[in-house]
Amino acid sequence: MADPKDQSTQSAPAEAGASNAAPSNPALWGGRFTEATDAFVQAFTASVTFDQRLASYDIQGSLAHAKMLAAQSIITDEDYQAIVGGLSQISAEIERGEFQWSIALEDVHMNIESRLTQLIGAAGKKLHTGRSRNDQVATDIRLFLRDEIDAIASQLLETIAVLGQLADREHATIMPGFTHLQTAQPVTFGHHMLAWAEMLKRDYGRLIDSRARCNSMPLGSAALAGTPYPLDRQMTMSELGFETMSANSLDAVSDRDFIIEFCSFASVLMMHMSRFSEELILWTSAQFGFINLPDKFCTGSSIMPQKKNPDVPELLRGKTGRVYGHLMSVLTLMKSQPLAYNKDNQEDKEPLFDTVDTVRNSLTAFRDMMAAVTVNPPAMRQAVARGFATATDLADYLVGKGLPFRDAHEVVGKAVGWCVEHGGDLSDLPLEQLQAFHPSITADVSEVLTLEGSVNARSLPGGTAPVRVAEAAKATLAWVEERRVGARS
Ligand code: ARG
């Protein structure tokens, strides 16, 4: 068969590190085989080009397992010391980029174990006692993802903080609020920023919820049925900082729900960022001009000299697609799989890794961009003045004068129609003109028709009034701080 690399469409960033060893069966499982694996099949089934990313977690898991094996007198202290020494050398080799990854050794687990035996001899062969690659890989991914969840959680907090600061600064800046992308009512820019912050706060909650289910230890499940060795699962669990241990060995080696949950969280987060991005793209256009993105977040056009393109939000919007795709990959990967472990599961890693990388980069880009955004209050005021944004305020005013809301709505509708026909805004109409639409309108209406009057009136909790927004921005920053402190302690 042909070289599988010719047919592969997958990006394998780590491929350069993998040597193209001649086909042979790894000593680790070759015992029952009479012929070597086909070269194509060997490369087709190997995962080392991408799962070497799990190496440090694989070593961490092995160290805990070996320590427990020694504590339970399943291996000697001498063997344990040799394993610790060998694994630390391997870890250094990997860090220096000197480790020889081999496709013939299939995956990260067997590459490391083979090297260990090469370095320390027989003791290396004892490390796998009471363990299978099935519970090993499940452990590695959980350790990896737990770290990534923590890093992403802290990135989310810092992003929410940036939005909170921006909201605090712009708590009284008035802009048009939209429904159907038509001017609806005046809102404050700070209020709009805090709407985004609320979405990210819920994303944070979903992420933290998923962490608990990720943080459960599979070791001790072995291949599928558990193991007859007297392992101390409690000890391995606390060595690795897991909160719980799996309750069923068949489930533990085959469950990938925790990856699906993470990818679901990531999809919702990216969906939110794509919404924010879409608004940023609109707002930076000449037609809106509400905000300005610093040049360092934009690019130019090779043909149109005037162009300053909002590439960063456009890419954030675009990258949402791959994250949704990864969620679908992992869901489909798990669909209909019989218990327990199946090789299908090896396909969980690339979607997970790319989801993690995309989310982390997207959050960095979004946070840095929002920290540098400047706003253009006059453009927002002009826009809000064009769309009869205070029409509801006039209707509410008439309700205050005793009209039923539906009648008030009708009166104001007529007034707006008049303005559309003759030009101008409700606030431009002289009092007599307004009174022609309804006699109960008096001089105090002018306050109601101002933008400030409109936003100030909406001062219920959760409303857009500057006083409420200033409070809500401070509450958001306090919410972030509480969690920062929680993460430190
Ligand atoms: N590379 C494999 C994976 O990622 C490790 C587990 C393999 N187990 C097995 N019995 N073939 O899923």
Side-chain angles (χ1 to χ4, degrees):
M1 276 193 238
D3 178 353
K5 279 209 196 114
D6 295 342
Q7 306 183 3
S8 171
T9 52
Q10 289 169 5
S11 65
E15 205 155 17
S19 78
N20 229 351
S24 65
N25 287 328
L28 288 86
W29 54 249
R32 64 152 292 174
F33 287 75
T34 53
E35 65 172 350
T37 314
D38 178 276
F40 174 83
V41 172
Q42 192 170 74
F44 185 71
T45 53
S47 54
V48 66
T49 51
F50 50 86
D51 69 12
Q52 56 181 266
R53 183 165 176 174
L54 295 173
S56 66
Y57 298 101
D58 198 66
I59 290 172
Q60 193 188 341
S62 288
L63 284 170
H65 180 66
K67 187 170 181 180
M68 179 277 297
L69 290 178
Q72 294 297 95
S73 304
I74 300 169
I75 61 171
T76 63
D77 276 340
E78 238 173 28
D79 286 339
Y80 170 58
Q81 290 310 332
I83 289 170
V84 171
L87 287 175
S88 105
Q89 176 169 341
I90 291 171
S91 168
E93 287 174 1
I94 294 172
E95 248 166 61
R96 287 197 299 265
E98 288 166 6
F99 191 89
Q100 289 298 306
W101 298 102
S102 157
I103 283 185
L105 291 166
E106 207 175 310
D107 56 25
V108 62
H109 323 293
M110 296 207 292
N111 269 268
I112 291 177
E113 198 190 316
S114 293
R115 177 69 181 141
L116 184 66
T117 301
Q118 206 178 52
L119 288 172
I120 65 169
K125 297 186 184 176
K126 295 181 189 167
L127 171 61
H128 212 49
T129 313
R131 188 177 72 169
S132 152
R133 276 186 295 154
N134 297 351
D135 58 350
Q136 187 177 357
V137 70
T139 304
D140 292 3
I141 314 172
R142 285 171 184 272
L143 290 171
F144 162 81
L145 187 54
R146 188 178 67 186
D147 271 1
E148 295 298 337
I149 286 174
D150 291 343
I152 292 169
S154 105
Q155 279 189 289
L156 265 172
L157 288 181
E158 296 322 310
T159 310
I160 295 166
V162 165
L163 294 175
Q165 283 148 7
L166 189 52
D168 193 33
R169 209 161 65 227
E170 306 297 341
H171 68 278
T173 305
I174 293 179
M175 66 177 283
F178 300 94
T179 59
H180 313 268
L181 203 57
Q182 310 290 318
T183 300
Q185 291 172 348
V187 295
T188 49
F189 188 81
H191 196 51
H192 200 114
M193 290 303 104
L194 290 179
W196 291 358
E198 286 303 312
M199 297 180 220
L200 294 186
K201 281 164 69 181
R202 291 195 296 275
D203 291 334
Y204 179 89
R206 272 182 279 273
L207 179 67
I208 297 301
D209 286 351
S210 78
R211 189 186 193 276
R213 279 176 295 275
C214 173
N215 200 14
S216 173
M217 188 196 67
L219 285 176
S221 305
L224 75 164
T227 171
Y229 295 97
L231 305 188
D232 180 351
R233 297 192 72 203
Q234 193 67 42
M235 176 179 169
T236 324
M237 177 180 120
S238 50
E239 279 293 313
L240 293 171
F242 280 116
E243 267 167 69
T244 54
M245 64 173 86
S246 55
N248 180 296
S249 60
L250 293 167
D251 179 47
V253 294
S254 59
D255 163 40
R256 295 294 183 273
D257 295 3
F258 65 102
I259 298 181
I260 294 175
E261 266 191 80
F262 176 79
C263 291
S264 311
F265 145 81
S267 295
V268 176
L269 170 65
M270 293 303 294
M271 176 272 290
H272 285 150
M273 281 202 276
S274 81
R275 296 181 66 185
F276 312 161
S277 297
E278 173 68 8
E279 297 198 315
L280 294 172
I281 294 161
L282 284 172
W283 293 350
T284 52
S285 69
Q287 287 69 19
F288 280 76
F290 290 1
I291 59 162
N292 185 44
L293 287 184
D295 285 0
K296 61 181 176 182
F297 289 98
C298 301
T299 62
S301 155
S302 53
I303 175 169
M304 297 168 283
Q306 86 285 10
K307 289 300 285 293
K308 176 173 158 183
N309 296 328
D311 286 32
V312 171
E314 285 174 296
L315 266 178
L316 286 173
R317 191 175 57 180
K319 282 182 187 294
T320 306
R322 66 201 284 163
V323 172
Y324 288 4
H326 295 323
L327 171 62
M328 281 306 122
S329 296
V330 187
L331 276 171
T332 312
L333 166 68
M334 294 312 292
K335 177 185 176 295
S336 312
Q337 264 198 55
L339 286 173
Y341 176 86
N342 300 285
K343 185 77 166 179
D344 313 38
N345 287 356
Q346 184 165 287
E347 286 290 306
D348 60 359
K349 288 168 204 63
E350 286 164 296
L352 175 63
F353 293 160
D354 190 65
T355 301
V356 162
D357 294 340
T358 306
V359 163
R360 291 192 61 169
N361 288 333
S362 299
L363 278 170
T364 300
F366 182 68
R367 182 206 53 207
D368 291 354
M369 183 174 62
M370 291 315 294
V373 151
T374 52
V375 302
N376 183 2
M380 297 191 216
R381 266 197 108 84
Q382 251 174 26
V384 77
R386 279 197 302 267
F388 305 104
T390 53
T392 319
D393 297 273
L394 182 56
D396 292 338
Y397 169 87
L398 287 168
V399 169
K401 298 279 177 176
L403 260 74
F405 182 76
R406 278 291 152 236
D407 295 343
H409 186 286
E410 171 80 13
V411 169
V412 180
K414 292 217 160 71
V416 168
W418 194 91
C419 290
V420 169
E421 201 178 319
H422 298 88
D425 184 59
L426 290 173
S427 57
D428 303 329
L429 296 180
L431 182 59
E432 307 76 66
Q433 182 71 49
L434 283 168
Q435 282 169 336
F437 293 107
H438 203 276
S440 60
I441 297 178
T442 50
D444 57 350
V445 74
S446 60
E447 162 67 7
V448 164
L449 294 180
T450 65
L451 300 178
E452 276 72 18
S454 174
V455 291
N456 284 334
R458 288 167 172 75
S459 60
L460 289 178
T464 198
V467 279
R468 287 291 93 81
V469 175
E471 277 169 19
K474 297 212 165 40
T476 299
L477 292 171
W479 183 96
V480 168
E481 190 49 31
E482 260 169 50
R483 279 150 190 85
R484 279 188 189 132
V485 171
R488 276 198 295 272
S489 59

